[in-house]
Amino acid sequence: MMDLDPVLMSRLLTTITLVFHIIFATLGVGVPLMISIAEFIGIKKKDPHYIMLARRWARGFIIPVAIGVVTGTAIGLQLSLLWPEFMQLGGNVISLPLFMEVFAFFFEAIFLGIYMYTWDRFKNQMTHWWLSLPIVIGGGLSAFFITTVNAFMNTPEGFKIGKNGFAAINPLETMFNPATPTKVFHVLTSAYLTVAAILAAFAAFGLLRKKTREYHKKALKLTVTLTFIFAIFTAIAGDVSAKFLAEYQPEKLAAAEWHFETEKNADLILFGWLNEDNEPTGVIRFPSLLSFLAFSDFDAEVIGLEEFPEEERPPLWIHYMFDLMVIIGFFLLGVSFLYLILSKLKRWNENNKFMLWLLILSGPLAMLAIEFGWIYAEEGRQPWILRGYMTVEEAATTSPYVGWMFILFLLLYITLGVIGVVVLRKLFKNNPVEDELEKKYPSIEKGDNQ
Amino acid sequence: MSYEIIGITVLWLFLYGYLIVASVDFGAGFYAYYAKVTKKDHIINQLISRYLSPVWEVTNVFFVFFFVGIVGFFPDSAYYYGTALLVPGSIAIILLAIRGSFYAFENYGSKKSNVYMFLYGATGLLIPASLSIALTLSEGGFIKEESGTVSLDYFALFASPYSWSVVFLAIVSVLFISATFLTFYAARANDVKALKLVRKYALFWGTPTIIAALTTFIALGQHNQRHYQNMFDYWWMFGLSVGFFMIAMWLIYQGRRYGLAFISVMLQFFFAFFGYGVSHLPYILDPYITVYENATHESTGIALIIVFIAGLFLLIPSLILLLRLFLFDADYVKGKK
């Protein structure tokens, strides 16, 4: 019993660290790609607006990067501090991708430093653009490696169990376990989608406040187009992830869909609640759609939760996390599609107030979807920390001080979050884009400020 | 050489790398704040921020590299250190977090803030102190395992002269390494005023550094006889260390060849650090973890080494590029770019 408290507190502390870190990790993966695209268009079109866009995004990027680095360091150490027995066992396997992740991060960190401080150092603008690629690649690789670790925890493979834990480890097989492809695909596309939506929200906000119209219009067009593209990819990634779950982690999908009995033509249900007999009530029902989602076949049989012993079932509230994630995903797809349609039709103004507000809303919603998705993925493999091998309870630290550490870290994250936002706001407020454009490019100046 | 030894050597090399780059960084933070308090900030802060801005993130990676690596090569260290270090480790993370993010807030945020500067400077000294606890613990006697539960004996830790001398050594070394680097950097930038100031710091912190090294050595003798005896087998490494220290001090005192002086300081710490490390073997945590008995599986160990070599091919050219663009580019150092 003495163990129980540290277990709960370890879970909570890991949760707040990850929930906080994921915000910055997502930005860290996505923003470099957007910067790189904007700079490339700017150079190719010889359009200073896009270059300014890249510059200002890059400048703002530093603050989330800093918070991302320090919270990433925190989670790296917390793995051992809070889950010592898990690392004692799993360290034999997951240290390899973790190690590679550090290399990717190293690579990214070096080039980020170089990129940020060499804007005007090269004669050929393309030289500077090339420097952005290692950052994009490094960020993507970091996401890839760290996701393989998480994938391994979901579907551990590539080893045998010997007398003292793992034996006959095949490092490559452990990394490229069944969950890896779909997870990586989903993580990358949703990160790019989210960042595009957030940058679109900023541009929409700028337009709404009638700032430099030309600049913000271009920014909006670019970011919403990217939102649309990545929303499509994310939807595909979500679909293949569901098919993966149906095959390898049916209990996770079943818990998300409140699908209790194994049956053919399984219905997909949205929202609702569970009544006293644990039956879904007040739900929106799509007949046979779950079978289709799981196996691309309306008649396929989907495994229900009843097939699993009660103590190995994930909590049922993850249903809401799953629903919210999916709904937001489709919302982003719809809004960006609407914007693109309007911009093609001459008689409509795609930058009307309603549209702008929808786009402003999209940014924070996209980030929320990332959080919901991760909470779903992580809670969905409870009670396991290493599915099928080790439960969360067996893995947690026995130290009695975890509660205090939880409070300390909570305070830290609140402080970092609040000051980070304040500093970012000041950074852009004290240096409005119109001033900066005018200073840097006197030729294009006021002309576009109607 | 067995993969265990390659593993620990690589990790030790990275910890050494962190010791140097982090010391420069931590010390610079402290000097920046100290200069502000003594109203000399106009002299050196420009210099410090020009050096630190492009590299502060890289510093952090050396550290992450080390702790990910040690858990990978020696997973049992996660079990013992992880449980025992929860409190000091968490405090170190919080300090690192404050420092890293407040550096960004201070330098890229719009308004200069005294509070940020203070936190940045103060954490620069507290972090080495809290991280050095891990080294103290490795000597044994502070971590206990009873009926399957690992715990840290805080009373023994705080009452031990050895642990306090390690903390003291960590702090003065940081100030010394940082001052010698800044002296070199100021000389490169032809910044005479800054040079005068940081050179004074370098000369000042040399003496406490060598005294602290001696007291730590003596305290270790009382704490861990085995390790102490082993150190005599590697007496020449400590001898070289003292020798390079004297070369560095002499060059700085003479006021020339500051680059060479800094390299001597690096070698001084290299030999002391490796002498300490090699005589610590085979234990990683006395008496629970040894290099041979608690290493990871061979397949993982070899995979880690392969990745490490591949990674170096990527890292070394990138690091050289970074250094050439910022550290060894005379125009950049002088503030013209």
Side-chain angles (χ1 to χ4, degrees):
Chain A
M1 255 355 222
M2 215 196 84
D3 264 12
L4 208 63
D5 196 38
V7 175
L8 180 66
M9 292 322 286
S10 296
R11 289 184 62 185
L12 287 176
L13 178 47
T14 308
T15 306
I16 56 164
T17 303
L18 280 174
V19 162
F20 191 65
H21 177 65
I22 284 166
I23 299 173
F24 304 94
T26 304
L27 294 172
V29 171
V31 176
L33 180 69
M34 308 301 151
I35 295 173
S36 183
I37 292 174
E39 193 186 9
F40 185 77
I41 295 177
I43 294 169
K44 286 296 159 194
K45 283 191 171 175
K46 297 198 171 42
D47 185 337
H49 281 129
Y50 287 101
I51 295 184
M52 184 55 70
L53 204 54
R55 263 181 194 256
R56 288 176 69 88
W57 284 346
R59 194 176 314 137
F61 184 48
I62 283 291
I63 303 290
V65 164
I67 302 180
V69 168
V70 299
T71 51
T73 309
I75 190 66
L77 269 167
Q78 279 179 356
L79 267 182
S80 295
L81 296 177
L82 297 174
W83 310 99
E85 308 214 21
F86 164 66
M87 287 306 280
Q88 189 181 21
L89 176 74
N92 289 301
V93 173
I94 66 169
S95 56
L96 182 71
L98 282 177
F99 208 54
M100 292 193 200
E101 199 266 350
V102 181
F103 266 119
F105 169 45
F106 213 143
F107 191 56
E108 185 189 350
I110 289 173
F111 279 92
L112 187 66
I114 296 177
Y115 183 81
M116 295 300 295
Y117 289 88
T118 50
W119 275 99
D120 300 311
R121 256 172 101 166
F122 305 107
K123 276 208 187 83
N124 186 347
Q125 284 184 303
M126 281 306 279
T127 314
H128 184 254
W129 177 78
W130 281 107
L131 290 170
S132 72
L133 291 190
I135 310 174
V136 177
I137 295 168
L141 279 179
S142 293
F144 168 73
F145 290 127
I146 208 71
T147 308
T148 66
V149 174
N150 184 269
F152 176 78
M153 292 161 85
N154 278 280
T155 52
E157 278 193 13
F159 59 87
K160 291 196 175 73
I161 288 289
K163 259 205 321 279
N164 310 309
F166 295 150
I169 297 168
N170 180 338
L172 282 180
E173 239 176 83
T174 60
M175 268 180 72
F176 294 94
N177 59 74
T180 297
T182 48
K183 272 208 182 251
V184 169
F185 185 31
H186 200 22
V187 162
L188 284 178
T189 50
S190 60
Y192 295 140
L193 163 63
T194 301
V195 169
I198 287 174
L199 295 175
F202 280 116
F205 188 68
L207 260 183
L208 202 64
R209 298 188 49 187
K210 305 240 184 327
K211 295 284 194 74
T212 321
R213 295 196 64 87
E214 205 54 37
Y215 170 84
H216 288 294
K217 268 188 192 164
K218 283 176 184 166
L220 195 63
K221 188 82 185 277
L222 173 66
T223 49
V224 177
T225 310
L226 290 169
T227 305
F228 179 70
I229 294 170
F230 288 117
I232 291 177
F233 279 114
T234 308
I236 298 171
D239 182 61
V240 293
S241 301
K243 292 183 170 44
F244 158 79
L245 286 181
E247 196 178 339
Y248 288 92
Q249 279 183 302
E251 77 276 21
K252 194 190 264 187
L253 189 66
E257 275 302 315
W258 289 347
H259 179 65
F260 297 103
E261 286 162 32
T262 302
E263 59 183 4
K264 292 183 174 176
N265 303 96
D267 298 348
L268 184 85
I269 55 175
L270 279 182
F271 298 107
W273 62 90
L274 289 172
N275 67 15
E276 275 149 28
D277 306 323
N278 240 8
E279 281 159 0
T281 318
V283 295
I284 310 166
R285 203 170 269 279
F286 300 90
S288 300
L289 197 62
L290 183 60
S291 289
F292 186 76
L293 184 72
F295 298 101
S296 305
D297 174 4
F298 288 107
D299 294 325
E301 187 177 73
V302 183
I303 297 173
L305 259 188
E306 58 174 17
E307 310 277 333
F308 297 89
E310 206 148 325
E311 66 276 8
E312 288 181 16
R313 290 182 199 166
L316 291 172
W317 57 264
I318 60 171
H319 171 66
Y320 299 108
M321 296 292 118
F322 183 72
D323 284 358
L324 287 169
M325 169 185 78
V326 173
I327 299 278
I328 293 174
F330 279 104
F331 174 80
L332 296 175
L333 187 65
V335 169
S336 53
F337 184 63
L338 183 67
Y339 172 92
L340 292 179
I341 292 281
L342 290 185
S343 68
K344 291 280 173 242
L345 298 174
K346 276 276 167 341
R347 45 188 290 255
W348 290 90
N349 172 17
E350 73 272 22
N351 297 317
N352 63 58
K353 257 202 178 140
F354 180 67
M355 192 74 235
L356 290 180
W357 272 112
L358 278 182
L359 287 167
I360 291 172
L361 203 62
S362 301
L365 277 180
M367 194 53 94
L368 276 177
I370 295 266
E371 299 283 6
F372 294 146
W374 271 113
I375 294 172
Y376 163 57
E378 294 305 283
E379 280 293 330
R381 71 180 152 103
Q382 291 306 311
W384 303 109
I385 192 165
L386 209 51
R387 184 174 173 270
Y389 294 96
M390 187 182 240
T391 63
V392 167
E393 215 158 302
E394 292 163 339
T397 181
T398 47
S399 171
Y401 306 107
V402 195
W404 289 105
M405 297 302 117
F406 175 80
I407 296 171
L408 272 182
F409 276 99
L410 184 65
L411 289 176
L412 173 75
Y413 299 145
I414 293 173
T415 316
L416 289 187
V418 171
I419 300 184
V421 170
V422 170
V423 168
L424 259 180
R425 247 192 94 222
K426 266 191 191 161
L427 193 68
F428 285 101
K429 227 180 166 180
N430 294 356
N431 189 10
V433 63
E434 44 271 38
D435 294 3
E436 204 179 342
L437 273 170
E438 211 176 306
K439 217 159 52 192
K440 196 113 195 129
Y441 305 102
S443 53
I444 60 158
E445 59 5 70
K446 322 234 145 150
D448 43 75
N449 276 331
Q450 308 89 29
Chain B
M1 218 173 3
S2 63
Y3 75 93
E4 297 99 335
I5 294 293
I6 298 178
I8 192 70
T9 311
V10 163
L11 293 175
W12 206 241
L13 211 63
F14 264 87
L15 196 57
Y16 167 74
Y18 182 64
L19 177 104
I20 297 293
V21 291
S23 293
V24 170
D25 184 352
F26 293 148
F30 175 77
Y31 288 130
Y33 179 69
Y34 179 73
K36 186 151 185 144
V37 173
T38 52
K39 303 224 165 16
K40 287 175 185 155
D41 43 336
H42 57 285
I43 305 178
I44 59 169
N45 282 11
Q46 164 84 7
L47 185 83
I48 289 175
S49 90
R50 277 192 85 73
Y51 163 72
L52 284 181
S53 298
V55 301
W56 66 269
E57 240 196 302
V58 175
T59 308
N60 215 40
V61 191
F62 276 91
F63 179 52
V64 179
F65 211 110
F66 174 75
F67 71 70
V68 168
I70 192 142
V71 173
F73 273 106
F74 309 101
D76 287 344
S77 57
Y79 174 66
Y80 288 99
Y81 281 117
T83 314
L85 280 172
L86 179 73
V87 175
S90 296
I91 291 173
I93 301 174
I94 289 174
L95 292 172
L96 277 169
I98 291 175
R99 189 182 156 78
S101 43
F102 279 60
Y103 178 76
F105 296 163
E106 163 76 16
N107 276 271
Y108 309 103
S110 42
K111 208 171 134 217
K112 300 280 163 194
S113 154
N114 279 330
V115 183
Y116 295 177
M117 277 298 273
F118 169 73
L119 286 172
Y120 186 62
T123 50
L125 295 188
L126 291 173
I127 294 169
S130 64
L131 289 182
S132 64
I133 290 178
L135 280 183
T136 310
L137 297 186
S138 74
E139 296 297 341
F142 304 111
I143 293 180
K144 295 214 170 78
E145 188 182 27
E146 278 157 3
S147 57
T149 310
V150 176
S151 62
L152 177 58
D153 185 345
Y154 284 95
F155 179 76
L157 185 68
F158 284 111
S160 155
Y162 176 64
S163 60
W164 287 107
S165 49
V166 170
V167 166
F168 183 63
L169 176 63
I171 293 175
V172 291
S173 309
V174 160
L175 292 171
F176 178 60
I177 295 173
S178 185
T180 51
F181 174 80
L182 290 174
T183 307
F184 154 70
Y185 201 61
R188 255 207 93 84
N190 281 335
D191 189 340
V192 182
K193 273 192 193 151
L195 175 63
K196 241 177 92 182
L197 192 65
V198 286
R199 178 174 165 268
K200 226 174 0 188
Y201 295 156
L203 288 172
F204 178 81
W205 288 108
T207 321
T209 302
I210 212 75
I211 292 174
L214 255 172
T215 51
T216 308
F217 185 65
I218 295 165
L220 178 67
Q222 289 165 348
H223 186 80
N224 186 334
Q225 265 298 319
R226 182 198 59 81
H227 189 179
Y228 183 70
Q229 288 304 325
N230 279 353
M231 280 173 118
F232 285 100
D233 296 342
Y234 299 96
W235 63 270
W236 55 273
M237 293 184 93
F238 300 99
L240 277 174
S241 174
V242 175
F244 279 113
F245 169 73
M246 292 192 327
I247 294 175
M249 290 305 280
W250 185 71
L251 285 172
I252 294 170
Y253 182 72
Q254 295 279 314
R256 61 198 182 88
R257 311 287 308 266
Y258 292 118
L260 195 63
F262 182 64
I263 291 174
S264 302
V265 170
M266 280 175 70
L267 288 170
Q268 172 202 339
F269 280 89
F270 181 87
F271 284 109
F273 196 66
F274 272 77
Y276 168 84
V278 72
S279 51
H280 198 298
L281 290 180
Y283 289 102
I284 289 179
L285 171 62
D286 205 349
Y288 300 110
I289 309 176
T290 72
V291 174
Y292 299 104
E293 283 162 36
N294 304 82
T296 184
H297 297 264
E298 197 170 350
S299 54
T300 306
I302 290 172
L304 283 172
I305 291 170
I306 293 172
V307 166
F308 174 75
I309 293 169
L312 280 189
F313 275 104
L314 196 69
L315 279 190
I316 290 175
S318 330
L319 267 176
I320 290 175
L321 181 65
L322 181 75
L323 293 180
R324 283 183 52 147
L325 281 170
F326 299 108
L327 195 51
F328 300 117
D329 184 311
D331 284 342
Y332 175 80
V333 180
K334 285 172 195 157
K336 286 185 190 150
K337 273 185 186 169

